[in-house]
């Protein structure tokens, strides 16, 4: 069943138009979320700008799920969590409140502009902390 059954398509409309429109629509939704955020709304910062919207709409850039930042925006947190595991892993074999407090303090010093998004970054940091290398298994 077509997603566009409720819409009357022009005679020239082909199935390729459906997938292109789905891609453009997803990019525009993220752009709209960013606009609402920029205007003081409760939407999260997606770091979406017109360049991202155009690249996503044309299929030249992957579209992250709506309301979620792009990987590039959380990569520093993943990188930090992965490195922290290798550095602090012997002292903290498991993630606990003491480790989290230590990492939060250190992260705030390393990335002061990201203190406000600690909860988002914390998830990525812990996910990377919990990642097991094939070499270590």
């Amino acid at each position: 069943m077509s997603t566009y059954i409720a819409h009357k398509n022009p005679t020239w409309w082909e199935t390729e138009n459906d997938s292109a429109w789905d891609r453009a629509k997803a990019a525009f939704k993220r752009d709209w979320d960013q606009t609402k955020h920029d205007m003081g709304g409760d939407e999260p910062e997606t770091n979406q700008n017109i360049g991202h919207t155009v690249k996503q709409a044309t299929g030249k850039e992957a579209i992250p799920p709506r309301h979620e930042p792009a990987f590039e925006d959380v990569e520093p947190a993943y990188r930090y969590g992965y490195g922290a595991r290798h550095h602090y892993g012997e002292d903290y074999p498991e993630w606990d409140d003491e480790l989290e407090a230590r990492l939060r303090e250190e992260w705030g010093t390393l990335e002061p502009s990201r203190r406000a998004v600690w909860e988002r970054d914390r998830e990525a940091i812990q996910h990377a902390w919990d990642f097991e290398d094939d070499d270590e298994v």
Side-chain angles (χ1 to χ4, degrees):
M1 177 185 253
S2 174
T3 307
Y4 303 100
I5 195 117
H7 302 288
K8 185 170 181 171
N9 294 325
T11 56
W12 50 260
W13 192 272
E14 297 180 7
T15 55
E16 295 85 38
N17 296 112
D18 288 339
S19 62
W21 169 241
D22 287 340
R23 190 175 52 247
K25 182 171 68 171
F28 292 145
K29 283 180 179 180
R30 279 187 55 84
D31 188 68
W32 177 241
D33 289 343
Q34 181 64 51
T35 300
K36 290 188 291 186
H37 168 83
D38 293 347
M39 299 303 285
D42 291 333
E43 298 298 322
E45 170 72 66
T46 60
N47 292 316
Q48 181 89 1
N49 63 34
I50 190 65
H52 291 111
T53 303
V54 170
K55 288 177 190 171
Q56 291 167 2
T58 59
K60 295 179 181 173
E61 181 177 294
I63 302 172
R66 197 164 177 208
H67 305 293
E68 291 184 20
F71 177 78
E72 292 77 18
D73 298 325
V74 292
E75 182 181 7
Y78 279 110
R79 182 178 181 275
Y80 174 71
Y82 181 81
R85 174 61 179 238
H86 291 276
H87 183 74
Y88 295 116
E90 286 187 29
D91 295 334
Y92 300 95
E94 299 292 323
W95 185 279
D96 61 19
D97 291 342
E98 183 180 334
L99 171 66
E100 183 173 334
R102 183 176 196 164
L103 296 180
R104 182 179 189 156
E105 176 67 28
E106 188 174 72
W107 183 241
T109 302
L110 294 171
E111 298 283 346
S113 66
R114 296 178 75 112
R115 284 187 182 141
V117 292
W118 165 254
E119 288 306 314
R120 182 194 74 194
D121 286 346
R122 179 200 166 279
E123 186 177 320
I125 291 167
Q126 185 173 3
H127 186 261
W129 173 275
D130 291 335
F131 179 80
E132 293 185 21
D133 281 334
D134 290 337
D135 296 341
E136 294 179 3
V137 178

